[in-house]
Amino acid sequence: MPAGEERFKREILSRIPLRNEPPLPPDWLHVEMLERFRVLQFAPIREGMNVLEVGCGAHALSTVPLAYLVGETGRVVAVELSRWRFFEEVTTAAGLKHRIIPLKTDARELPFPFKAFDLAVLVHGVRSLRSEETIVKVFSEMLRVSGRVFIAESLLIANNERQKAHLELYNLREEIFEALFGRKDDLHYFPLEKLGELVEKAGGHIIKSGTSEPALPHYLAYIPREYVAQIKDEEKRDKLLERWDKAYEMWKRGAEHPPIGWLVAEG
């Protein structure tokens, strides 16, 4: 068990209310936040650091663990372009809002003229950047404004049936959103080697990397069937509905985080 996990659960997660969002279980937010806490044990974080988080998302899943880990004298600048719906609610409930500076901006053009941060972090956000070109640009900006970067993302690996259940449903997202909106939403996961290549293309030098098994349930592959039913192309809709039904049956029986690939790099 990562150092301080029980304390984190007692002092932080216990403050955050359970949620009523079927078919997700009431504690899904706690479980996902705990997974981020476990992943961040591999990041070079110390109390008192100024940390930039790219892609904090609506639920502050990594923001809360980061704010906890930097301590009372540290700060987290949380960057997101559009998804802020529950952010203030969650960070306030966790009792860590005062350590967090939310910033609505495009991570491809960060508004900092120099290295203003000790560490820049992107956890489970690479998949949301939609293209390799955007990924390289965001990595480059992170390296420009911070002494070090820490990047972590799920891998295309299933070591058991529960991890396979997650991947089967998750891997439908790209096709569903392309059929609905003509663009990608979440990309398929990359191998760790590919993440490293993209970091190096952005001008980074990898100083440490590895993989980990969170050993926790994973709920965020879920996408409502109603989304798929809205696809206008009848042939695509029918094929994706059939695949969704099969994947969802696996997911309902239990899904788990696949292995996580992580790396630390310098500019």
Side-chain angles (χ1 to χ4, degrees):
M1 181 181 296
E5 183 174 304
E6 285 301 322
R7 184 179 172 189
F8 175 69
K9 288 191 287 187
R10 182 178 66 253
E11 295 181 357
I12 304 300
L13 295 186
S14 64
R15 299 174 179 173
I16 300 173
L18 298 175
R19 307 176 76 86
N20 182 25
E21 298 169 347
L24 306 180
D27 67 343
W28 75 264
L29 183 62
H30 294 190
V31 173
E32 294 296 337
M33 205 169 278
L34 181 61
E35 187 273 338
R36 272 63 170 181
F37 180 83
R38 290 186 178 179
V39 170
L40 287 168
Q41 301 302 302
F42 298 99
I45 300 173
R46 299 186 308 276
E47 289 193 11
M49 274 187 165
N50 289 320
V51 174
L52 173 72
E53 181 197 5
V54 171
C56 58
H59 294 92
L61 295 177
S62 297
T63 316
V64 167
L66 280 169
Y68 176 78
L69 290 167
V70 299
E72 196 61 38
T73 59
R75 291 295 178 269
V76 176
V77 175
V79 168
E80 178 63 59
L81 187 58
S82 58
R83 297 178 297 174
W84 293 101
R85 185 176 177 189
F86 304 104
F87 188 88
E88 185 173 5
E89 172 190 332
V90 172
T91 55
T92 299
L96 296 171
K97 182 183 175 183
H98 63 291
R99 301 183 188 178
I100 300 164
I101 302 170
L103 180 62
K104 183 178 181 180
T105 193
D106 189 332
R108 292 172 295 184
E109 296 180 356
L110 294 170
F112 309 105
F114 50 80
K115 290 190 183 297
F117 300 94
D118 302 300
L119 181 68
V121 171
L122 178 57
V123 176
H124 294 313
V126 175
R127 61 195 184 215
S128 298
L129 296 178
R130 297 183 181 172
S131 74
E132 290 189 19
E133 180 183 3
T134 299
I135 292 168
V136 170
K137 179 60 177 171
V138 171
F139 287 177
S140 177
E141 281 291 272
M142 293 170 69
L143 289 159
R144 182 181 66 80
V145 303
S146 179
R148 286 187 174 183
V149 303
F150 176 79
I151 295 162
E153 186 56 89
S154 299
L155 300 176
L156 278 168
I157 301 169
N159 291 327
N160 57 50
E161 287 300 308
R162 290 167 60 88
Q163 292 176 353
K164 183 179 179 181
H166 166 76
L167 291 176
E168 287 292 320
L169 192 55
Y170 176 81
N171 283 342
L172 289 174
R173 296 178 68 91
E174 185 174 303
E175 292 178 65
I176 289 169
F177 279 94
E178 281 192 297
L180 270 175
F181 306 119
R183 59 168 174 77
K184 294 180 174 65
D185 185 67
D186 282 358
L187 300 171
H188 290 175
Y189 300 135
F190 293 118
L192 181 56
E193 294 78 12
K194 179 65 174 181
L195 282 177
E197 289 174 12
L198 293 170
V199 169
E200 290 173 347
K201 190 173 181 180
H205 169 66
I206 298 169
I207 58 176
K208 197 174 183 181
S209 65
T211 62
S212 69
E213 289 267 9
L216 286 168
H218 196 4
Y219 304 113
L220 299 189
Y222 178 76
I223 181 170
R225 194 178 192 275
E226 291 75 18
Y227 273 61
V228 192
Q230 293 173 25
I231 295 171
K232 292 180 180 179
D233 185 309
E234 184 176 352
E235 184 178 356
K236 284 185 180 179
R237 181 178 67 243
D238 290 346
K239 287 181 179 178
L240 284 168
L241 282 172
E242 182 180 357
R243 290 170 60 194
W244 187 95
D245 288 339
K246 291 178 180 177
Y248 180 61
E249 286 304 313
M250 292 179 64
W251 183 87
K252 280 198 305 184
R253 292 194 293 269
E256 181 180 304
H257 275 276
I260 309 299
W262 57 268
L263 57 85
V264 179
E266 295 178 341

